[in-house]
Amino acid sequence: MKKFDYESVVGHDLVCTKLQQAVASDRTVSAYLISGPEGIGKKTVTYPFAAALLCESPQNGRACLQCSSCRLLAGGAHPDLFFLTVPPDKKSIGVEEVRDQLIKEAYVRPFSATRKVFVIEQGELMTQGAQNALLKILEEPPSYAVFIILASAQDQLLETIRSRCLKLQLLPLSAKDCAAYFGRMTEGAEKRRALSAAFSQGNLGRGQRMLCDDSYYALYVETVDKLLCMAKRPSGLSDMQRHLAEHKDAAADVIDFLLVFLRDCMRRSISPDALLICTDREKESLSFGKELTAKGLVCVMEALIHFRDRLQKNAGYTAACLELLTRIQEEIHD
Ligand SMILES: [Zn+2]
């Protein structure tokens, strides 16, 4: 039940207030576009809003959490709430999904509530055809339908869709909010909680992953270790090469970990009391920072960004890895 109450949302006060006021004053619109990076809390904000839209007697724009509609929601079986998402065997939301799971349903009157709510997750992954199909219903929506499109990047949606939505953007939370959130948690060791809070950088989903996903955390630890070894041992290069090959599917995470750690090294080399993200690697960020010049650190970070760009353009993985490692090695032993 908790997730249907705004109390469960950390931060995003402005957006929550707007959504609450819309329901309280009965001034909702038929389409919303909630955007922000993955993990920022788009779905977390959507749950209480959808609950309030469906609730039989909302209180100040919030779901009452007691009526039969709210009870159906809590049971995970509300017949008037729909989630459209990328099918597990596909990489995008196609026109068939929009037609079958959304448009057909939208023309059937609500079953128990006065509204019908359609949430489109990862809206940016709708194909052009899917977006055009959606556009038709956004142009003339049934009076009871509310569409909530969640998207990490607004600009991947057609302008014609965007212009029909009330746009709400979720911004990074303050470091204080993140620290308080992870401070209240009891999972994991204290050291890992501190790392997760710093790692979140305003995005609770990002920090949450570091706290709860053991393989993600292990990959982080191993990646930083491998980088440190490159400075210590001649075999470090081939170890890192193997590491990159083994984690090809998680290359984006590996790059992210390296960039975050190198940023710490740079900050540490400028100021001894700079706040770090890799809070578990204080000593190492100082020592590794000494292996490279400030210019060298920048070069390695640039090489990583170049590597990421090449992968996005589908460059050969092995060759791109080798180029990256050669550049890192050159800077370390310069
Ligand atoms: Zn209710």
Side-chain angles (χ1 to χ4, degrees):
M1 213 56 159
K2 213 175 135 228
K3 72 175 178 183
F4 297 112
D5 189 2
Y6 283 105
E7 292 294 330
S8 66
V9 183
V10 179
H12 306 312
D13 297 349
L14 199 66
V15 168
C16 290
T17 306
K18 272 189 193 170
L19 294 173
Q20 234 173 289
Q21 280 172 349
V23 172
S25 59
D26 203 16
R27 285 178 142 163
T28 54
V29 296
S30 58
Y32 291 84
L33 171 55
I34 302 179
S35 65
E38 200 187 321
I40 196 87
K42 299 186 286 293
K43 236 173 138 180
T44 313
V45 163
T46 300
Y47 282 123
F49 179 47
L53 287 169
L54 296 169
C55 175
E56 287 164 17
S57 50
Q59 317 284 320
N60 298 321
R62 292 167 173 237
C64 74
L65 306 180
Q66 283 161 14
C67 70
S68 76
S69 173
C70 287
R71 285 200 306 270
L72 278 171
L73 264 184
H78 203 295
D80 297 316
L81 176 63
F82 296 83
F83 283 89
L84 180 61
T85 174
V86 178
D89 54 337
K90 290 190 181 172
K91 285 190 170 163
S92 56
I93 301 175
V95 65
E96 329 62 82
E97 280 88 43
V98 171
R99 257 191 227 129
D100 296 348
Q101 296 174 42
L102 196 140
I103 296 179
K104 270 190 200 161
E105 285 293 345
Y107 287 118
V108 180
R109 293 198 66 82
F111 180 77
S112 73
T114 51
R115 291 192 179 98
K116 232 170 165 171
V117 177
F118 297 89
V119 181
I120 305 172
E121 295 178 69
Q122 291 182 288
E124 74 278 7
L125 295 181
M126 278 187 285
T127 62
Q128 193 93 354
Q131 292 193 42
N132 279 318
L134 176 67
L135 184 61
K136 289 213 182 77
I137 196 153
L138 292 185
E139 280 168 349
E140 280 177 77
S143 60
Y144 47 80
V146 177
F147 299 93
I148 306 170
I149 307 172
L150 312 183
S152 57
Q154 273 198 27
D155 53 7
Q156 282 172 34
L157 289 165
L158 297 175
E159 170 53 31
T160 41
I161 294 219
R162 279 183 275 156
S163 66
R164 298 204 170 263
C165 298
L166 181 81
K167 294 184 269 298
L168 299 164
Q169 197 177 0
L170 299 187
L171 301 172
L173 303 184
S174 67
K176 206 175 122 209
D177 276 344
C178 291
Y181 176 79
F182 286 99
R184 282 197 299 272
M185 302 220 118
T186 48
E187 287 111 320
E190 202 186 324
K191 198 172 127 187
R192 188 156 154 195
R193 280 205 299 273
L195 167 70
S196 304
F199 199 79
S200 60
Q201 294 178 279
N203 183 326
L204 293 184
R206 191 176 143 87
Q208 192 92 31
R209 194 168 172 209
M210 189 55 98
L211 184 66
C212 305
D213 182 341
D214 288 337
S215 59
Y216 184 71
Y217 173 68
L219 183 65
Y220 156 76
V221 172
E222 212 187 326
T223 301
V224 175
D225 281 346
K226 292 280 187 267
L227 179 68
L228 296 172
C229 277
M230 283 184 78
K232 280 188 213 145
R233 283 197 294 270
S235 63
L237 180 107
S238 54
D239 281 353
M240 181 60 116
Q241 197 170 6
R242 215 170 302 125
H243 180 68
L244 284 168
E246 273 168 27
H247 299 284
K248 186 179 172 187
D249 292 341
D253 292 334
V254 171
I255 296 169
D256 187 31
F257 296 145
L258 291 172
L259 281 172
V260 164
F261 177 71
L262 289 163
R263 172 195 166 277
D264 275 359
C265 295
M266 190 175 288
R267 290 176 59 107
R268 209 8 81 96
S269 70
I270 297 166
S271 155
D273 40 38
L275 282 178
L276 302 182
I277 293 177
C278 306
T279 49
D280 59 332
R281 299 292 183 141
E282 267 203 79
K283 262 192 261 151
E284 291 95 328
S285 59
L286 192 62
S287 61
F288 190 80
K290 283 178 184 159
E291 302 279 348
L292 284 87
T293 60
K295 197 170 147 249
L297 278 170
V298 174
C299 284
V300 173
M301 289 171 89
E302 279 173 356
L304 280 161
I305 293 164
H306 176 66
F307 177 57
R308 184 167 62 194
D309 289 346
R310 284 192 66 187
L311 297 188
Q312 274 163 1
K313 288 175 189 147
N314 292 320
Y317 187 69
T318 313
C321 287
L322 201 61
E323 186 196 18
L324 168 72
L325 295 177
T326 312
R327 282 190 66 187
I328 298 180
Q329 193 78 351
E330 275 167 14
E331 293 304 333
I332 289 177
H333 298 289
D334 199 7

